[in-house]
Amino acid sequence: MKQAIVIFLSAILSGCILPYPHNNWTSPQVSGRVTDGVTGFPIQGAEVYIKGDSSRKVTTNYEGYYEIPPKKDFDWFVFVCPGPCDAMSGNFVVVATHTGYGPEEEEVSGCIGHPSSVCNGRKEHADFILQKSI
């Protein structure tokens, strides 16, 4: 236990860890439209979510539009890079489903694990054309 406290205090004093509350952006805002592959009409009530995180599942409105808000995690400490720090980018798979249609997936990029405004407001776009299932 003493060793952990010494390491923690050394990190704070060396400037590698800054104790202040902040948000880590873990996924971008994603928006788009879901339409029928044959008619091109919007699909109302389609479910759209980021693969692996169905807790933030949204449904499309009557015009087929959806918006998944960005996700952020709250932390008390920031690990500061010794040199310039850029936001890490990651790829996310967005899934659209609706009863009577086969699911569709679209890969989008976004920012992860960076507490600055680099990712704040980052918006990605993913449209889906769903095909009727047989």
Side-chain angles (χ1 to χ4, degrees):
M1 179 67 175
K2 270 187 172 180
Q3 186 179 13
I5 292 172
V6 170
I7 292 171
F8 180 73
L9 290 175
S10 297
I12 287 176
L13 294 175
S14 69
C16 292
I17 299 177
L18 301 176
Y20 70 92
H22 68 281
N23 290 316
N24 271 336
W25 297 93
T26 57
S27 74
Q29 175 179 323
V30 183
S31 61
R33 191 172 194 209
V34 180
T35 56
D36 184 285
V38 175
T39 65
F41 291 141
I43 299 176
Q44 179 180 0
E47 294 182 334
V48 185
Y49 60 94
I50 294 177
K51 194 172 192 173
D53 186 10
S54 60
S55 66
R56 296 185 312 131
K57 192 179 292 187
V58 298
T59 57
T60 56
N61 65 14
Y62 70 97
E63 293 179 329
Y65 291 103
Y66 72 92
E67 184 175 293
I68 301 172
K71 181 179 180 183
K72 54 187 169 179
D73 292 333
F74 183 79
D75 291 316
W76 276 100
F77 295 98
V78 175
F79 292 92
V80 179
C81 300
C85 293
D86 294 326
M88 297 179 289
S89 63
N91 294 325
F92 300 89
V93 177
V94 182
V95 181
T97 64
H98 192 275
T99 304
Y101 292 88
E104 289 291 325
E105 296 182 353
E106 181 78 26
E107 188 172 297
V108 298
S109 63
C111 297
I112 56 173
H114 198 275
S116 74
S117 61
V118 174
C119 300
N120 192 3
R122 172 93 181 248
K123 296 180 180 179
E124 298 296 334
H125 191 84
D127 289 332
F128 295 93
I129 300 172
L130 298 184
Q131 304 296 327
K132 294 221 183 231
S133 58
I134 300 174

